[in-house]
Amino acid sequence: LKYLITLVLVMGMLGTALVAYRLDKINAFIWLSDYTFNSPTMGDIEGVVDIVFFMPDHWEPGNNQDILNAWMTDYRALAEKHIDADGYKLKHDWYYPIDQFHSQEVESLVVLCSEGLGDIGVQLHHRDDTPESVRRKYSDGIDSLQTYGALITEDGVCRFSFVHGNWALDNSRLEHGRNFCGVNNEMEILMDLGCFADVTFPSMTQLSQPKAVNKLFYARDDENPKSYDNWTRSSTSYKPGPDELAFLCGPMMIDWTDWRFKTHPTIEDGCLYYEIPTTLHRFEVWLKAWIHVEGQPNWVFVRPFTHGATLKGDGFDNILGKNIDQMLTDVEAKYNDGKKYRIHYMTTREAYNVMKAAEAGHNGNPNDYRDFMIQPYLYQPKTLQKEAS
């Protein structure tokens, strides 16, 4: 018996050590504290639960015409099939890499956006920049996108949301001598140019991952890297200053029901992986994260993300094909009855407006607040530009 007990204890210690090693390898200790002690999951909520569903896409087609054609055809077909509680079709956010600009790609996206199927945001991959050099890159990229009416609201203001290429916002990734940013005041520069929200995160395995998880929050830039780790949660009682950037982060959940990786449960970050099919179960894990404005528990933000220009094999099924189609069909059947749940397909701009409306104390149907602060974009497809000229 003594040897059996010893064996059990040794095996337990080895198992604990293996789990700790795996957690350390994916930098989970950055966020585990907030997840464990400050991130309650959604339980029963009185009244209708309104689900604000939006999907940022780190969209990097690389001048591939086949990828572009797939989005122009298959995405339209997918959006036509899925209508929310307000009568809107499925929407998408394409975060266009301004460091990889190709006019025909932007022209095509603008057509989809002008049809109400999504919005264009800003993405940049860069390394070893200075404040001056990165400001030039952002300014030039924004000007190029505005040529097509992107990022310009109907009241003539430049506003945009942002994804940082390689998950390196605010100089947050310096690894093995490689610097994926270089600029400690990047958030300030982005806000100066019209950025209203960042949707870069989560970045599950990266050092850039925020300490805060499953929250909408604000952060003020400072002279240090990764300023957003000094954050304040979005709530009905907090009034952010004009120098605070909004962060609309996606879910970070430990799915104890899924052990497909054998040595640890699946950590669900909302990414449409190759190896994990897009399913109703995944949606319900995202929903359980209960991302909301504190004080308005009924408006729940469900925000997966993807790299939607990677459409090989299972990637296509999860992003544009049968898997996401089935997930949305199942979601609409279970979470859009109009009594307990309503689903609202939105863009990041609309979701941000709903967040601001919640902070201002509004309630009821979030559909009423899609344009609460930031107006829709102009979008000028090439055909309309020709007619105007």
Side-chain angles (χ1 to χ4, degrees):
L1 180 61
K2 178 176 68 174
Y3 295 115
L4 178 60
I5 293 173
T6 301
L7 178 63
V8 169
L9 288 174
V10 169
M11 293 298 292
M13 287 187 291
L14 288 174
T16 301
L18 177 61
V19 170
Y21 172 77
R22 291 294 301 162
L23 291 174
D24 183 63
K25 288 288 285 184
I26 63 172
N27 294 305
F29 292 108
I30 293 172
W31 54 269
L32 268 177
S33 177
D34 188 61
Y35 178 85
T36 303
F37 300 108
N38 201 26
S39 296
T41 57
M42 188 173 75
D44 291 331
I45 297 175
E46 185 177 347
V48 178
V49 174
D50 285 289
I51 302 169
V52 176
F53 183 90
F54 61 114
M55 188 184 297
D57 185 343
H58 304 221
W59 199 72
E60 303 160 16
N63 202 25
N64 185 311
Q65 191 62 44
D66 291 337
I67 291 173
L68 189 59
N69 292 342
W71 275 97
M72 294 302 291
T73 56
D74 294 274
Y75 177 69
R76 263 203 192 92
L78 181 69
E80 289 285 343
K81 292 179 64 175
H82 297 288
I83 311 297
D84 70 5
D86 317 305
Y88 287 98
K89 298 175 185 176
L90 182 68
K91 300 190 179 190
H92 200 83
D93 282 287
W94 296 275
Y95 285 85
Y96 191 78
I98 56 176
D99 52 300
Q100 305 167 24
F101 195 92
H102 297 282
S103 59
Q104 75 277 11
E105 295 171 347
V106 179
E107 289 170 3
S108 298
L109 291 184
V110 165
V111 171
L112 293 176
C113 293
S114 69
E115 296 171 6
L117 299 181
D119 276 335
I120 296 171
V122 175
Q123 179 183 187
L124 177 68
H125 305 81
H126 67 108
R127 289 183 57 186
D128 302 315
D129 263 313
T130 66
E132 294 74 23
S133 63
V134 82
R135 184 181 285 270
R136 284 194 300 272
K137 291 177 181 179
Y138 284 127
S139 295
D140 291 346
I142 289 167
D143 287 346
S144 296
L145 290 173
Q146 287 182 329
T147 301
Y148 301 92
L151 317 186
I152 304 176
T153 62
E154 291 178 351
D155 51 356
V157 179
C158 176
R159 303 305 304 273
F160 61 91
S161 53
F162 179 71
V163 157
H164 200 296
N166 298 317
W167 290 288
L169 179 69
D170 202 47
N171 209 19
S172 56
R173 279 190 68 193
L174 177 59
E175 301 173 10
H176 310 298
R178 300 180 67 197
N179 192 323
F180 293 90
C181 179
V183 182
N184 287 356
N185 66 328
E186 187 172 36
M187 291 160 50
E188 178 185 14
I189 292 169
L190 285 165
M191 294 187 72
D192 284 346
L193 295 171
C195 182
F196 61 84
D198 179 89
V199 288
T200 299
F201 304 110
S203 56
M204 181 172 65
T205 64
Q206 307 298 335
L207 293 172
S208 57
Q209 167 63 37
K211 293 179 180 179
V213 291
N214 300 330
K215 292 175 183 64
L216 309 171
F217 65 86
Y218 291 91
R220 181 179 288 109
D221 212 340
D222 57 33
E223 61 185 14
N224 301 309
K226 206 180 179 187
S227 305
Y228 50 83
D229 269 345
N230 295 315
W231 54 274
T232 303
R233 185 174 179 181
S234 167
S235 74
T236 56
S237 61
Y238 182 69
K239 306 304 178 188
D243 59 345
E244 292 181 85
L245 182 63
F247 285 75
L248 279 68
C249 298
M252 187 78 86
M253 296 289 288
I254 299 175
D255 184 0
W256 293 100
T257 69
D258 186 348
W259 287 78
R260 71 183 67 223
F261 299 109
K262 310 301 183 186
T263 59
H264 61 85
T266 295
I267 299 177
E268 177 60 76
D269 66 348
C271 181
L272 303 192
Y273 298 100
Y274 285 98
E275 62 266 49
I276 305 180
T278 306
T279 61
L280 175 64
H281 172 77
R282 292 193 69 192
F283 176 91
E284 291 179 329
V285 175
W286 305 335
L287 180 63
K288 191 177 179 182
W290 196 27
I291 299 173
H292 66 286
V293 173
E294 191 172 29
Q296 175 46 289
N298 293 71
W299 293 359
V300 184
F301 294 74
V302 174
R303 203 227 76 175
F305 75 97
T306 186
H307 284 77
T310 309
L311 294 175
K312 298 178 182 178
D314 293 339
F316 177 87
D317 289 337
N318 283 340
I319 297 166
L320 284 180
K322 62 182 181 180
N323 290 347
I324 191 167
D325 181 25
Q326 188 61 56
M327 183 198 79
L328 294 171
T329 299
D330 294 341
V331 165
E332 289 156 6
K334 188 172 181 179
Y335 292 100
N336 198 33
D337 60 7
K339 298 177 181 178
K340 177 61 177 174
Y341 297 100
R342 290 185 296 224
I343 189 82
H344 308 275
Y345 295 137
M346 295 194 182
T347 64
T348 299
R349 179 191 66 84
E350 292 172 321
Y352 172 82
N353 281 334
V354 170
M355 181 180 94
K356 301 303 290 185
E359 291 170 359
H362 293 286
N363 50 40
N365 191 338
N367 177 60
D368 297 334
Y369 304 102
R370 289 175 184 260
D371 302 326
F372 181 67
M373 287 189 66
I374 299 177
Q375 296 299 301
Y377 297 110
L378 289 175
Y379 294 122
Q380 292 291 316
K382 199 170 183 180
T383 53
L384 295 181
Q385 290 184 0
K386 287 181 178 179
E387 291 172 5
S389 62

